[in-house]
Amino acid sequence: MTKAKKNGVFVGMQAGRVQRTFAGFVVDAIEAAVRSERSRGNGRVQIDRWTRTSSGTEILTKAGLHPCETTRTRMRELVLRYARSEEQLTRRALLSGLSVAA
């Protein structure tokens, strides 16, 4: 088993599993923001703040997302879209909205 890292990102046989694990953290953060948007109306602000923290940036990177302004904008749009609809949150739908392979 390889536990090698290249520029802070895992490479080798476990890379896909690690990436999916961190993608799960991103989905959880978006789900929490949607709940907050529905109840208090500040979910978009919360997800934006989280993506700008060092831990949020690290998790986004390890999930295969580039922590740039485009990603932050897409995440805010997803929070708003799911908060306004009764549509069920799914990992595949969220990650496709962020342009990540599910």
Side-chain angles (χ1 to χ4, degrees):
M1 271 189 268
T2 305
K3 291 185 179 181
K5 284 177 132 182
K6 183 176 182 181
N7 296 330
V9 179
F10 290 94
V11 294
M13 293 179 62
Q14 294 185 353
R17 285 183 282 203
V18 170
Q19 188 173 6
R20 286 189 299 273
T21 300
F22 282 102
F25 293 134
V26 173
V27 170
D28 287 342
I30 292 173
E31 287 175 337
V34 167
R35 285 191 301 273
S36 180
E37 185 71 27
R38 286 179 180 163
S39 63
R40 292 183 294 275
N42 66 345
R44 289 175 289 164
V45 173
Q46 285 184 346
I47 199 71
D48 191 53
R49 285 183 186 157
W50 177 78
T51 59
R52 293 178 191 279
T53 64
S54 60
S55 60
T57 301
E58 184 176 358
I59 289 171
L60 287 172
T61 302
K62 289 181 179 180
L65 295 166
H66 184 65
C68 64
E69 197 58 39
T70 304
T71 303
R72 290 182 185 102
T73 302
R74 287 181 183 166
M75 289 178 81
R76 286 190 304 265
E77 290 170 356
L78 281 171
V79 168
L80 185 61
R81 185 176 90 199
Y82 282 104
R84 288 185 175 173
S85 72
E86 293 300 318
E87 192 175 343
Q88 192 67 13
L89 291 167
T90 63
R91 179 181 177 268
R92 186 173 302 275
L94 287 173
L95 295 179
S96 68
L98 293 172
S99 300
V100 174

